[in-house]
Amino acid sequence: MGLFSKKPPCPICGGKISWFLSSKIEGEYICDSCYGKIDMEDDKKNHLTMQGFRDYLAFYEQNQQLKDKFVISERIDFGILDTKIIFDYQNKLFCMSKNPDKTVFEGEQLKYFTIKEDNTLLFEGSAAGIKRYTSTVIERAMAMAPQISQFMMNRQMTRTLDKLDDGKVNGSATPMQFFDIPEPFDKFNVKLCFDHPYWKVIKCDMDGPRFDNTTPDVNDYLRSYQSNMEEIEKLVAAFKTVAFPRAQEQSIGFGGNVGTVGTIQTTETPHVDAIEEIKKYKALMEEGIITHQEFDAKKRQLLGI
Ligand SMILES: [Zn+2]
């Protein structure tokens, strides 16, 4: 038995087994082409038996029919790792890829989904309804304006002092200052829960907006947030179309059952003049940073009506 001794053919298709790094199931070598068909949760994949693999291949052949009839109606790009989700509205299908080359899910296999800003619920959807929770991100970003002005003033001051110093001592310039106060949230977290033989949960995330670390600006932040939210809204609408077409939508405000909403930042600013706040939001709406609905919701909330 030398290094190049022949491996037995693939027990599934009789094909050739590559001579290095070949995959095994229950100690038997499987050809790359058969093994490459596996698309299931890691835990299930790691415990796959030969019989389990044969059952999976039957499922795979069936799923091929869904791949064949898949017509892409909507494609949503998600996050920097380039997660893409495609939807087929006609056949009520979706697939976590840019082409229907991975497992295609039928809408009814999705039991529910949640979308959070870090750990704070933003959307929750199931056949029972699509719930939209009030986000505090916009006002928390706006509450950072004084810190940001302070940073910009300090930075300007340092620059001016450096200019006055110029030429006196070599290399004495103050190091560049960077804005390092954390954003109102880090990521949008999406969780999909299935009733499916090979998938229970799929999680993916999308980075929230970031402040520029040399010239942070609240309006820039809100503009990026707005475009992120447009993608999120598209995603929610797409899941509703394929999975919960009859679900009612409802908005849940601060009086709702979300314990994590209402963070330190918002409770620290109780002396807000409602009218002044509304004016600020109106300006944001006029600049196209927030929508008319968002403005109305904010107005009602501030006026307590
Ligand atoms: Zn094979």
Side-chain angles (χ1 to χ4, degrees):
M1 292 285 271
L3 181 60
F4 297 100
S5 64
K6 240 177 129 216
K7 285 175 182 165
C10 171
I12 302 293
C13 68
K16 236 180 120 199
I17 308 278
S18 67
W19 64 272
F20 72 106
L21 295 178
S22 5
S23 311
K24 280 183 184 177
I25 291 177
E26 285 192 304
E28 286 194 67
Y29 286 111
I30 305 293
C31 81
D32 292 348
S33 149
C34 290
Y35 200 80
K37 292 177 177 172
I38 300 178
D39 179 35
M40 64 177 77
E41 288 180 349
D42 285 346
D43 190 47
K44 289 196 163 48
K45 186 173 175 172
N46 295 337
H47 295 97
L48 202 56
T49 61
M50 212 50 184
Q51 185 52 48
F53 186 45
R54 287 179 195 277
D55 293 345
Y56 173 77
L57 290 170
F59 160 83
Y60 181 88
E61 288 311 317
Q62 271 189 323
N63 204 250
Q64 187 59 44
Q65 294 170 18
L66 300 182
K67 289 175 186 165
D68 291 342
K69 70 173 179 186
F70 203 105
V71 180
I72 301 174
S73 336
E74 180 80 86
R75 180 153 104 190
I76 295 172
D77 292 0
F78 213 73
I80 42 168
L81 293 177
D82 247 3
T83 307
K84 308 235 193 293
I85 309 180
I86 47 171
F87 293 87
D88 173 347
Y89 290 155
Q90 186 83 44
N91 296 303
K92 304 223 180 300
L93 304 170
F94 66 99
C95 178
M96 310 289 288
S97 182
K98 64 177 191 291
N99 290 304
D101 50 8
K102 288 192 179 174
T103 302
V104 169
F105 294 100
E106 295 173 80
E108 61 191 22
Q109 292 173 326
L110 182 68
K111 287 298 133 192
Y112 72 92
F113 70 86
T114 56
I115 302 177
K116 296 179 179 182
E117 288 170 335
D118 290 344
N119 293 313
T120 305
L121 264 174
L122 190 59
F123 285 100
E124 202 175 13
S126 71
I130 310 284
K131 291 179 188 165
R132 171 194 300 264
Y133 293 87
T134 306
S135 168
T136 57
V137 165
I138 293 177
E139 57 213 328
R140 282 155 65 203
M142 286 171 73
M144 289 175 75
Q147 286 172 288
I148 289 173
S149 322
Q150 188 65 48
F151 167 82
M152 292 305 281
M153 266 164 56
N154 289 348
R155 195 161 164 271
Q156 190 57 41
M157 187 95 80
T158 314
R159 271 188 178 169
T160 312
L161 290 176
D162 278 349
K163 260 186 205 150
L164 292 175
D165 267 354
D166 212 323
K168 276 190 195 161
V169 190
N170 267 352
S172 71
T174 319
M176 180 82 142
Q177 294 170 40
F178 292 107
F179 187 75
D180 61 358
I181 299 171
E183 283 79 7
F185 76 108
D186 186 34
K187 282 174 168 35
F188 291 101
N189 292 308
V190 177
K191 183 176 166 193
L192 309 175
C193 297
F194 294 91
D195 182 6
H196 190 277
Y198 298 102
W199 293 98
K200 268 201 190 72
V201 176
I202 293 181
K203 288 180 182 175
C204 50
D205 58 51
M206 177 164 96
D207 278 340
R210 295 282 179 263
F211 283 114
D212 187 288
N213 64 5
T214 54
T215 51
D217 182 275
V218 172
N219 283 350
D220 287 349
Y221 179 88
L222 291 175
R223 250 177 242 117
S224 317
Y225 180 65
Q226 182 60 30
S227 72
N228 285 167
M229 281 305 290
E230 280 163 19
E231 286 301 291
I232 298 286
E233 296 275 357
K234 242 165 59 175
L235 189 66
V236 170
F239 281 133
K240 182 179 186 313
T241 306
V242 297
F244 317 118
R246 281 179 296 278
Q248 300 285 315
E249 287 189 49
Q250 69 182 112
S251 292
I252 297 177
F254 292 110
N257 53 359
V258 206
T260 43
V261 168
T263 57
I264 299 157
Q265 283 99 321
T266 49
T267 50
E268 264 177 357
T269 50
H271 306 293
V272 278
D273 182 338
I275 302 295
E276 281 309 307
E277 284 294 293
I278 291 168
K279 280 183 188 162
K280 274 194 235 164
Y281 284 104
K282 185 154 184 285
L284 288 175
M285 179 183 68
E286 281 161 0
E287 280 194 59
I289 294 168
I290 60 172
T291 65
H292 198 269
Q293 284 110 314
E294 284 165 330
F295 168 72
D296 271 347
K298 219 75 233 181
K299 190 173 76 176
R300 279 196 298 275
Q301 182 207 327
L302 285 162
L303 294 173
I305 53 174

